[in-house]
Amino acid sequence: VTVPGHPLNMIIGDVSGKGMAAALFGMVSKTQYRGQIAQVDKLNRPDELLEGMNRALAESNPQCMFVTGLCACYEPASGLLRWSGAGHLAPLLLACDGTVTRLQQAQGIALGLDGQAHFPLHTMTLEPGDQVLWFTDGVTESIDPDQTEFGLDRLIEVLQRLPLAQGQALIERIKVRIDVVARCREITRIIVIMRAVIVRICVARVR
């Protein structure tokens, strides 16, 4: 989400369960996110944005559903990235020198379970050419015919072999590698790459 005069804001989430109930909870979560970003003072505080979403989702949640998520804001001019997590898979930093690092800082619990939960705020500065990969468990839990998961280690290995790939090109190569493994299973995967300096978010959602 872009708002003139404010940092670029993004969120990625994964709702618990499947079917109509999960789809509806996902829609409610999206609505709550849009409600929070309407409060421009939260555009550079992803931790407070998640807290607002969480309180609203927990207030009316008789089925005890939840959604994991990562929320971030990015200032292209300075490279400053602020992010906060709610029980979601840790993002991966693909540095401009080709190294891959898992950003394993502490997170809060999934959204919707405890209306009083807090979500730690983390900051880092991205160098020109750095990329941050955000993804759902549909990536790492893709299963091959032998019932072996694609896994985080294999994802990191793919990234290490593609140090020069950028943005959408990198996403396409990751998708191709996963599809080789998960030919036998229909699964939803979401991959988001935030590329430093260039204000562009590349998103892939495939079945």
Side-chain angles (χ1 to χ4, degrees):
V1 176
T2 57
V3 176
H6 294 277
L8 182 69
N9 196 281
M10 63 151 284
I11 192 168
I12 183 172
D14 194 2
V15 180
S16 62
K18 298 183 182 298
M20 183 60 70
L24 291 174
F25 197 74
M27 291 176 61
V28 172
S29 300
K30 183 177 180 179
T31 299
Q32 292 299 335
Y33 171 67
R34 292 190 176 279
Q36 292 298 315
I37 61 175
Q39 305 174 48
V40 293
D41 59 311
K42 293 185 178 181
L43 286 173
N44 63 349
R45 288 299 303 265
D47 56 329
E48 294 183 2
L49 195 151
L50 288 181
E51 288 176 3
M53 285 183 63
N54 179 61
R55 283 193 298 270
L57 291 172
E59 282 179 0
S60 179
N61 186 16
Q63 294 181 306
C64 295
M65 299 194 70
F66 61 87
V67 56
T68 66
L70 292 171
C71 184
C73 65
Y74 176 59
E75 299 178 7
S78 63
L80 180 64
L81 175 69
R82 299 184 184 92
W83 67 277
S84 188
H88 198 81
L89 294 171
L92 298 174
L93 170 64
L94 177 56
C96 55
D97 62 4
T99 59
V100 180
T101 305
R102 190 180 186 198
L103 305 180
Q104 299 188 80
Q105 288 89 338
Q107 297 189 34
I109 64 172
L111 304 175
L113 296 177
D114 178 2
Q116 302 303 313
H118 296 285
F119 304 89
L121 177 67
H122 307 290
T123 61
M124 64 183 299
T125 300
L126 300 180
E127 299 297 329
D130 286 353
Q131 299 183 94
V132 180
L133 180 75
W134 319 77
F135 55 97
T136 61
D137 59 13
V139 174
T140 53
E141 294 180 4
S142 297
I143 297 176
D144 67 15
D146 296 324
Q147 300 301 303
T148 300
E149 290 187 349
F150 186 78
L152 179 62
D153 290 342
R154 202 181 311 191
L155 175 59
I156 292 175
E157 180 182 347
V158 170
L159 295 175
Q160 290 172 334
R161 291 180 177 180
L162 302 170
L164 300 180
Q166 295 281 330
Q168 191 64 40
L170 179 57
I171 287 179
E172 293 301 324
R173 295 191 185 188
I174 295 172
K175 286 166 55 182
V176 168
R177 187 67 187 90
I178 294 173
D179 287 342
V180 170
V181 173
R183 291 190 302 266
C184 64
R185 184 181 180 191
E186 179 180 323
I187 192 167
T188 299
R189 305 184 291 270
I190 300 179
I191 307 170
V192 178
I193 290 180
M194 178 178 286
R195 183 179 175 188
V197 179
I198 297 179
V199 185
R200 183 177 66 179
I201 300 288
C202 300
V203 182
R205 179 187 179 99
V206 294
R207 280 195 178 278

